[in-house]
Amino acid sequence: MAKPTKPTDQDSELDRIKTGAFERNVALTKMGVGAGAKIASHTVRNLFRRGESKDQANRDFYRQQARELADELGRLKGSVMKAGQMLSLYGQYFLPEEAVEVLASLQDNTPAVSWSFVEPQLIQALGHGVIQKLHIERKPIAAASLGQAHKATVKATGETVVVKIQYPGVADAIDTDIRTLSRLIAATRMAPKALDLTPVFHELRDMLVRECDYVQEKAFTDTFSQQLATDARFIVPKVYPEFCAQRVLTTRYEPGYSVSSPQVQALSQARRNKLAQAFVDLFVTEFFDWKLVQTDPHFGNYRIRIDPAGEHDQIVTLDFGATRPFEPQFVDSYAKIVRGSLLRDRAEIAEGVLEIGLMDANTPQSVLEGFGDLTELIVEPFRKPFSPGVPEHLYTPGGAYCFGPSDLPARVGQTAALKMMSKHFKIPPQEIIFLHRRIGGVLVTLRTLRAELRLHELLKPYLKLPD
């Protein structure tokens, strides 16, 4: 389940969510009308502002507009809330920074829905007879935009499982929700008028359809389980087909600690390094070998099973709804960008960029060079130890890159702002958006673990790097 949050108490639950197209449209249309009035008022007031005062007023306005949008999406839940979360990924390329920040926060505030609202969905999907084989706890252990999870016991065996139930009406509302959200973004004027966001919303719709398909998620879970069956570093929950359907997914309950928990943070440097290495190994294997990537890196989707003996800590991998296959050609072209960045070969970077479609043949050389500056910086942790240009304090005496004190995200952001503001740089295709979502999550995990790793050798067999 993407981006789950544990409800703090039963009082935080919603009785229901608005599932009908009409009532959801009414809620968002009212907000759009209100936004129009506020835009007019803001525009008038800005006539009397100058310089920094005007800039600050604009930032405050966009933040407030985005906050009101996020609040309403949070109340509606379902596909429109998930679309808002995903929009924050695309939005970094065309929305004000303040709006992206607020939309991204949607993942952190998700109240659960009452059992009386989700129970009919469960009965319709599995039938009374099958449900009678389970003892299901009415209070959910996690809630997200598309559904929530309930702990249960298989009566015949005593096994503890998690039943993930999609909210009623979510899948049916996707098309209406996407259309309404696109109109709302236009009404709030958070995106540039001249920018055609139709392709973005088409991609959001496709992703939502996939994440609402629990049959596909079950298949992806089974695939990852098979692929990782011989790797003791990972645990993939067992699937219980008898208790699965299009809108219901039941897997074994696999407890563990969050990467950011005090228990994990208290582990020795060596143990944290082993966990961090496993996170990187998994991503590299998914992308280059399997060409199948779980693109939602939220901490709730990865739990740490601490070994009391201190020998074999494990990573529990959860929620495969956001899994994406990647075409071999895309992987090969992306590899060119990474290889060119590590070797500081601008021609190879440009070749990969053009093949993927980030830019085209008419892109000025100066823009391609700016992109090269950016990608060469991004691959910093994968360079050979003590490479020129990498701050010396980010290496241990043995040449491991220190993720804890690294300010790489800030330096990447500054470089992107300086180099990539160009009409020639397109909104990236969805493959790039969701791949970078996972890469960003891996880097955040390594920083949270305060990892010290030598990663250059990891990429050599995939990129055919020289010694």
Side-chain angles (χ1 to χ4, degrees), residues 16 26 53 128 130 134 155 167 173 326 336 344 425 442 461:
R16 62 185 295 274
V26 166
S53 173
H128 282 286
V130 173
L134 297 171
K155 293 178 181 178
Y167 294 129
F326 287 85
K336 290 179 182 178
R344 293 187 167 91
F425 187 71
V442 171

Side-chain angles (χ1 to χ4, degrees), residues 284 286-293 325-338 355-356 431 435 462-463:
V284 169
E286 287 178 38
F287 184 61
F288 287 108
D289 285 340
W290 305 344
K291 298 174 179 58
L292 187 70
V293 178
F326 287 85
E327 294 294 330
Q329 181 57 54
F330 176 90
V331 175
D332 291 343
S333 298
Y334 195 86
K336 290 179 182 178
I337 297 175
V338 179
E355 287 178 0
I356 283 178
E431 291 88 353
L435 177 63
Y462 298 107
L463 303 180

Side-chain angles (χ1 to χ4, degrees), residues 337 340-342 344-347 349-350 353 359 365-380 383 389 408 411-420:
I337 297 175
S341 300
L342 287 169
R344 293 187 167 91
D345 182 339
R346 294 299 174 90
I349 294 173
V353 166
M359 301 179 197
Q365 186 63 30
S366 61
V367 177
L368 289 170
E369 288 294 325
F371 185 80
D373 291 342
L374 180 63
T375 59
E376 287 182 11
L377 179 60
I378 290 172
V379 301
E380 175 178 286
R383 294 197 177 281
L408 181 60
R411 285 184 282 130
V412 168
Q414 292 166 0
T415 302
L418 290 172
K419 303 287 186 178
M420 301 316 301

Side-chain angles (χ1 to χ4, degrees), residues 245-298:
Q246 189 73 30
R247 310 300 179 207
V248 177
L249 179 66
T250 300
T251 57
R252 182 163 53 204
Y253 174 65
E254 297 286 2
Y257 294 105
S258 168
V259 171
S260 59
S261 69
Q263 292 85 350
V264 174
Q265 293 298 304
L267 295 175
S268 67
Q269 184 70 57
R271 292 173 73 175
R272 284 184 280 112
N273 284 349
K274 286 180 68 174
L275 288 168
Q277 185 70 55
F279 271 106
V280 183
D281 289 349
L282 178 60
F283 166 68
V284 169
T285 300
E286 287 178 38
F287 184 61
F288 287 108
D289 285 340
W290 305 344
K291 298 174 179 58
L292 187 70
V293 178
Q294 199 284 71
T295 64
D296 188 350
H298 184 253

